[in-house]
Amino acid sequence: MVTEDTRLRIGILGAARIAPAAIVQPAGRNPEVVITAVAARDRSRAELFARKHGIPRSYDSYQALIDAPDLDAVYIPLPNGLHGRWTRAAVQAGKHVLCEKPFTANADEAREIADLADASDRVVMEAFHYRYHPLVSAAEKIIASGELGTLLRVEAALCFPLPKFSDIRYDYDLAGGALMDAGCYAVHMARVLGGENPEVEAAQAKLRGVDIDRAMTAQLRFPSGHTGHIRCSMWSADVLRVGATVIGEHGRMRLINPVLPHLGHLLTVRSESGRRVRRFGNRPSYDYQLDAFASAVLRGEPVPTSPDDAVQTMTVIDAIYQSAGLPLRRPS
């Protein structure tokens, strides 16, 4: 039985825009979790965030929050280039970590953090919230059932408009780029639905500045022979495209809106058994994600978005950047 004294106590590194929906509100609906602190480099911003969301304490130093003895875990929604640094610091301070995607700036940094996590007894989890929604487990079961037949192709896309070019997601020094921000979802979906880690056959970027991709496409090939394609953008002719398609010898499956947490999720299947549509409830995917994180910390349950899984995703992302002729992202 979870009591006030046994709840998972989480601190937030950074008063980020994503934090209320991604963890503050889900924590309010989860009796096993409580948000007890927030840190920002600007103390007034941290204090304002804490007051607005009913968080007891605020800090003007990330390290001070990490070192707090009455915290069990930290949530890291910082810019991409800072993920590895502060995940490392949190694990070294004995904290469990829920880190926003992408896990690190590149695959080498992901391997370093994975090794550190493996050598500890801490839970370190990448926040691919969509992975914890029942939509994905339903899709996996359909693929495993053989209803679609031998896989032929997997396609995944996340495109949305972000015309504010001063946004940190366009900043190379903060490990920005469309592939890092939107594309990591498409890469991860392709990996999950394809069942393997693919090789990158070709990639093409559309640029915003010298080294920043505003859009990216990549052709993939999986070890078992099926092909793949990912598309992502923060500014392109694909104003809004969110979904994934799995094509097999005997059927086709579509995941409609798998990654937007608060909108309706649909799964459509067309096979020799006919056509059907499955609709899912409106419970946010962030809630399922926090459930999984709490269960991992409190009861030792495994999670699919582990550091080792993140290494595989970052390996594909690095290969796409290399194929597109762009430099790898680097830690800030």
Side-chain angles (χ1 to χ4, degrees):
M1 178 179 178
V2 176
T3 67
E4 185 171 340
D5 292 333
T6 60
R7 286 184 298 176
L8 177 62
R9 301 163 300 179
I10 301 177
I12 303 172
L13 288 191
R17 289 190 300 269
I18 192 177
I23 197 158
V24 176
Q25 293 163 16
R29 297 185 285 264
N30 188 320
E32 296 189 318
V33 173
V34 60
I35 307 298
T36 59
V38 61
R41 289 174 295 179
D42 181 339
R43 176 174 286 279
S44 63
R45 189 176 179 205
E47 291 173 346
L48 177 62
F49 188 95
R51 285 196 303 272
K52 182 175 181 180
H53 298 288
I55 298 172
R57 297 199 314 280
S58 60
Y59 297 87
D60 61 0
S61 160
Y62 298 152
Q63 190 64 52
L65 183 147
I66 285 173
D67 289 337
D70 58 347
L71 284 178
D72 305 304
V74 297
Y75 167 64
I76 302 178
L78 298 171
N80 301 338
L82 299 174
H83 288 179
R85 178 198 304 182
W86 290 106
T87 296
R88 183 186 305 110
V91 173
Q92 289 171 340
K95 301 298 191 289
H96 304 282
V97 177
L98 177 61
C99 180
E100 271 302 332
K101 54 77 197 168
F103 190 61
T104 54
N106 55 49
D108 284 346
E109 188 180 30
R111 291 187 192 95
E112 177 194 341
I113 301 301
D115 288 344
L116 179 65
D118 288 344
S120 76
D121 62 351
R122 302 294 86 182
V123 172
V124 179
M125 177 174 147
E126 186 175 17
F128 270 121
H129 59 92
Y130 90 96
R131 184 69 176 87
Y132 296 91
H133 195 279
L135 170 72
V136 177
S137 58
E140 289 182 298
K141 289 177 182 176
I142 290 170
I143 294 170
S145 74
E147 179 181 355
L148 304 180
T150 301
L151 292 189
L152 301 176
R153 187 167 177 82
V154 176
E155 300 173 347
L158 179 53
C159 303
F160 64 89
L162 182 63
K164 183 182 177 182
F165 298 119
S166 61
D167 191 282
I168 60 172
R169 286 171 280 188
Y170 287 105
D171 190 336
Y172 179 80
D173 290 335
L174 293 174
L179 180 61
M180 292 291 283
D181 189 75
C184 65
Y185 278 110
V187 168
H188 199 267
M189 281 191 287
R191 290 186 53 242
V192 169
L193 299 173
E196 301 170 318
N197 227 45
E199 298 292 325
V200 177
E201 294 194 322
Q204 183 175 12
K206 294 180 180 178
L207 300 182
R208 173 72 188 183
V210 177
D211 295 324
I212 284 291
D213 48 308
R214 59 180 176 85
M216 183 77 76
T217 58
Q219 302 291 340
L220 311 174
R221 183 168 294 276
F222 294 86
S224 295
H226 48 294
T227 62
H229 180 268
I230 69 105
R231 180 185 300 274
C232 63
S233 73
M234 299 189 297
W235 188 249
S236 74
D238 285 309
V239 177
L240 185 64
R241 183 182 297 199
V242 184
T245 302
V246 180
I247 303 167
E249 284 186 321
H250 304 307
R252 175 187 295 253
M253 176 175 65
R254 291 186 63 207
L255 286 73
I256 300 171
N257 182 33
V259 303
L260 298 181
H262 296 95
L263 300 180
H265 304 278
L266 292 177
L267 183 66
T268 69
V269 180
R270 188 185 297 274
S271 70
E272 294 174 345
S273 301
R275 183 180 184 275
R276 65 186 185 277
V277 177
R278 180 175 174 184
R279 290 175 170 82
F280 296 82
N282 292 324
R283 187 177 191 236
S285 48
Y286 288 132
D287 287 40
Y288 290 105
Q289 174 178 262
L290 187 58
D291 289 352
F293 183 62
S295 293
V297 173
L298 298 174
R299 290 177 289 279
E301 296 183 13
V303 296
T305 59
S306 65
D308 290 336
D309 179 73
V311 170
Q312 298 302 312
T313 300
M314 294 311 304
T315 297
V316 178
I317 288 175
D318 283 2
I320 292 173
Y321 273 126
Q322 290 173 324
S323 183
L326 292 176
L328 302 187
R329 310 298 96 163
R330 61 192 181 200
S332 302

